[in-house]
Amino acid sequence: TTTPDELGVDVKPTVETLRVEPPAEREAGIKVESVEELVDKLKNEAKAAAIAGVNKVLVADNAVYANQLPENVAALVVEAASGYSHILCAHTTNGKNFMPRVAANLGVAMISDIVSVESEDTFKRPIYAGNAIATVKANDAVKVVSVRGTAYDPVAAEGGSASIEALDNVTDAGVSEFVSEEVVKSERPELTSAGIIISGGRGMQSGDNFVLLEGIADKLGAAIGASRAAVDAGFVPNDMQVGQTGKIVAPDLYIAVGISGAIQHLAGMKDSKVIVAINKDEDAPIFQVADYGLVADLFKALPELEALL
Amino acid sequence: MKVLVPVKRVIDAYVKVRVKADGSGVETQNVKMSMNPFCEIAVEEAVRLKEAGTASEIVVVSCGPQSSQETIRTALAMGADRGILIQSDDALEPLGIAKLLKAVAEKEQPELVLLGKQAVDSDHSQTGQMLAALLGWSQGTFASKIQASDGKLTVTREIDGGLETVDLKLPSVVTADLRLNEPRYASLPNIMKAKKKPIETTTPAELGVDVAPRTQVLKVAEPPAREAGVKVASVADLVEKLKAEAKVI
């Protein structure tokens, strides 16, 4: 028998155990009714709960909320809002639809479309189609805010393990009813999340000519957008509109074809990393923001571009 | 059906705004002012509803300084019947305006409030939704088509990725998107006629509405400038630069 002392070794502990606890218990979850429900839950609830930084996911699973009717969704959010200092949503058509109702029913101002958080009550947001940036301080106790998605990098989709709680109270305002939805199914990426976008303007001359952009979009894996002028002229539907009153985008590469560069269009795309402009008018304002400008007839340049990619 | 159309006077959408040197706001002196383009679409839609026999009377309302009367006159020249100016020289926020419009709606009892989806100065896109919330009414935002039939309104809405159609119980608040219609130009005889149409003036105090601001603009600044790049000589040159220099394809 020997001892640490005899061996001349100091084994004095350098760490101290403060407390011993049982491990976090895993609670039983819920039983789902069908495979369909299971897939839906895995896709939505579990996904939200796995986002890094999320502590709790509140789920209101009721047909009343199926189509996000703002009268019902706003009532739900207002009810769930107590105890929260900040209520945020994305500045999408859905967020813009219900969030002002939430703010009005809470009796507070809403700060729309923020691009930066300066402090817990102060935010930056573009005004006048992005021609000015206002720094706004919200003096209400509760801050209701919508966020411009392209101004932020997404958080990690994994790493979190939030608890999931059900909201059981159901409010059906009963004043509106969903009739139908016509969603464009496309194999191309969504405009607001695409890495590359190619957009056409009035210079495309017709909706049929947008086919010239499609070949290039296919080769680049790009989304196709349009200027308000092209939408106004009836070439393409409004959900393709990039601009102040359409979608705000910020891809790695934005190719503007036959777009002059009106203020309201620039407001929607000038945060793109690299901007290319193809226009036959060398004085077009779009060249003032383009990294690479090509003065050319688009009907010649587009087939050539497609061939070279 | 009586229709209330709130309109806003803004810096003309085609004017390039300049930020004031002291950062307190944008230059509004000697700048062309116009009706907000989406409000024009709302007025046009109301006039079309009246022409189709659906709307019985169109009342236009604007909140702002005395000069907002001109904007009301423009709407009257397009075909609206009478105007209400809620005069205030203070900066009004969407919630304050929604409260003022609620007071007017309670007095006028319209079945439909039709307004623009957003004003091109503050770009909030809040007023219509807030008004609907305060009144407890249904809402159809970003409308590209409106159809009225016995006690309800069928509204087609522009949503991300496509279109959505909803049925709304009246009374309702609808906000106009770009493709709803193309506003008309007022003819000279109609501009002359509009001068005789009545405009009633009231104030937030008379309506008993507190419009004290909830937010404070600390600073208005120019956005970071984007510099013009280079002109390339050919498509081949462009592809080469995108591959080698920008490395984006």
Side-chain angles (χ1 to χ4, degrees):
Chain A
T1 303
T2 180
T3 62
D5 272 353
E6 278 176 16
L7 292 169
V9 177
D10 177 12
V11 291
K12 204 169 68 200
T14 55
V15 295
E16 189 184 350
T17 302
L18 296 178
R19 200 166 59 215
V20 177
E21 281 179 355
E25 256 185 69
R26 199 176 164 95
E27 276 172 46
I30 49 162
K31 294 240 168 69
V32 294
E33 299 281 323
S34 64
V35 174
E36 199 184 4
E37 195 188 338
L38 175 66
V39 172
D40 180 70
K41 292 238 186 288
L42 288 174
K43 271 192 177 159
N44 299 307
E45 284 176 28
K47 244 183 169 172
I51 293 171
V54 174
N55 295 114
K56 199 197 281 183
V57 178
L58 302 174
V59 181
D61 188 1
N62 192 286
V64 159
Y65 307 116
N67 297 296
Q68 303 281 314
L69 291 170
E71 299 86 349
N72 300 343
V73 173
L76 174 77
V77 176
V78 168
E79 209 177 87
S82 96
Y84 291 92
S85 60
H86 293 70
I87 304 172
L88 278 73
C89 72
H91 196 66
T92 54
T93 50
N94 184 39
K96 283 189 267 191
N97 199 24
F98 75 84
M99 205 58 152
R101 279 189 89 105
V102 172
N105 280 335
L106 291 174
V108 302
M110 172 171 164
I111 314 290
S112 287
D113 203 15
I114 63 155
V115 293
S116 155
V117 176
E118 302 296 294
S119 73
E120 63 177 68
D121 60 5
T122 305
F123 310 91
K124 282 190 180 172
R125 60 180 301 269
I127 53 174
Y128 292 95
N131 282 295
I133 306 291
T135 305
V136 183
K137 183 169 179 280
N139 293 323
D140 288 309
V142 178
K143 277 67 171 166
V144 175
V145 174
S146 68
V147 179
R148 177 175 294 197
T150 56
Y152 293 87
D153 292 326
V155 292
E158 283 166 23
S161 57
S163 60
I164 297 176
E165 267 177 39
L167 294 177
D168 296 324
N169 288 351
V170 174
T171 316
D172 186 356
V175 291
S176 57
E177 213 175 296
F178 171 83
V179 176
S180 64
E181 198 175 58
E182 235 179 90
V183 175
V184 183
K185 289 240 187 292
S186 167
E187 309 214 330
R188 297 208 175 83
E190 279 273 346
L191 265 177
T192 44
S193 60
I196 300 179
I197 295 172
I198 182 162
S199 287
R202 204 193 293 276
M204 296 300 293
Q205 291 180 9
S206 78
D208 292 341
N209 288 334
F210 270 70
V211 73
L212 292 170
L213 303 181
E214 285 172 14
I216 297 169
D218 287 343
K219 285 198 163 169
L220 292 173
I224 299 181
S227 70
R228 176 167 161 178
V231 173
D232 257 347
F235 298 171
V236 290
N238 192 43
D239 60 305
M240 285 172 67
Q241 192 203 144
V242 171
Q244 176 196 19
T245 57
K247 295 206 167 76
I248 311 286
V249 301
D252 294 331
L253 173 61
Y254 189 89
I255 307 174
V257 182
I259 292 175
S260 63
I263 296 172
Q264 92 86 38
H265 185 74
L266 299 184
M269 47 63 85
K270 66 184 167 55
D271 292 329
S272 306
K273 281 203 188 92
V274 174
I275 297 175
V276 169
I278 300 175
N279 204 301
K280 65 180 175 190
D281 173 12
E282 64 176 315
D283 296 324
I286 190 79
F287 288 122
Q288 290 164 21
V289 299
D291 298 284
Y292 301 107
L294 176 65
V295 181
D297 179 353
L298 67 93
F299 293 102
K300 281 195 196 127
L302 290 178
E304 209 181 317
L305 180 59
E306 188 182 339
L308 280 172
L309 290 171
Chain B
M1 167 162 89
K2 186 169 171 179
V3 183
L4 185 68
V5 186
V7 296
K8 186 175 186 184
R9 183 176 169 84
V10 298
I11 292 180
D12 189 274
Y14 295 97
V15 169
K16 170 123 176 70
V17 296
R18 283 203 318 274
V19 172
K20 282 186 190 166
D22 66 0
S24 63
V26 301
E27 204 56 70
T28 52
Q29 293 288 316
N30 303 318
V31 171
K32 187 185 175 201
M33 303 294 283
S34 298
M35 190 192 299
N36 175 45
F38 291 101
C39 300
E40 274 187 332
I41 296 173
V43 173
E44 174 67 35
E45 194 64 17
V47 174
R48 289 188 190 187
L49 287 172
K50 194 176 176 196
E51 286 168 349
T54 310
S56 51
E57 188 188 19
I58 304 169
V59 182
V60 176
V61 55
S62 192
C63 312
Q66 177 64 31
S67 54
S68 298
Q69 266 217 12
E70 291 169 35
T71 309
I72 294 174
R73 288 276 174 225
T74 306
L76 296 177
M78 286 172 74
D81 296 300
R82 61 187 170 87
I84 300 169
L85 170 65
I86 305 170
Q87 203 179 330
S88 169
D89 291 327
D90 300 329
L92 298 171
E93 294 172 353
L95 183 61
I97 292 171
K99 286 178 180 172
L100 292 170
L101 295 176
K102 179 184 182 231
V104 171
E106 280 167 352
K107 213 170 116 205
E108 294 285 341
Q109 299 280 319
E111 277 188 279
L112 172 64
V113 180
L114 192 52
L115 67 173
K117 74 161 178 175
Q118 118 191 42
V120 296
D121 51 359
S122 51
D123 285 334
H124 279 121
S125 195
Q126 296 175 5
T127 303
Q129 297 89 309
M130 286 185 158
L131 174 62
L134 296 178
L135 289 166
W137 290 5
S138 60
Q139 73 179 45
T141 52
F142 325 130
S144 64
K145 194 174 167 200
I146 301 173
Q147 265 178 310
S149 61
D150 43 81
K152 69 167 197 197
L153 216 54
T154 302
V155 175
T156 303
R157 307 179 51 238
E158 305 269 6
I159 58 167
D160 292 334
L163 298 170
E164 181 194 67
T165 304
V166 288
D167 274 347
L168 306 175
K169 261 193 202 156
L170 291 172
S172 187
V173 176
V174 172
T175 74
D177 210 326
L178 189 64
R179 291 195 300 173
L180 185 58
N181 59 51
E182 257 184 71
R184 70 193 65 193
Y185 289 102
S187 66
L188 190 60
N190 283 341
I191 293 172
M192 300 310 287
K193 260 193 244 164
K195 289 186 175 163
K196 296 200 181 92
K197 291 180 177 174
I199 297 180
E200 173 195 337
T201 301
T202 181
T203 61
E206 274 177 21
L207 292 169
V209 175
D210 173 16
V211 289
R214 307 305 199 93
T215 66
Q216 200 181 337
V217 176
L218 301 179
K219 194 177 78 185
V220 174
E222 297 262 2
R226 195 174 174 110
E227 276 170 45
V230 293
K231 289 243 167 77
V232 292
S234 66
V235 174
D237 195 9
L238 173 66
V239 172
E240 169 63 24
K241 283 211 153 58
L242 289 178
K243 278 185 177 155
E245 206 175 271
K247 296 188 171 60
V248 283
I249 57 171

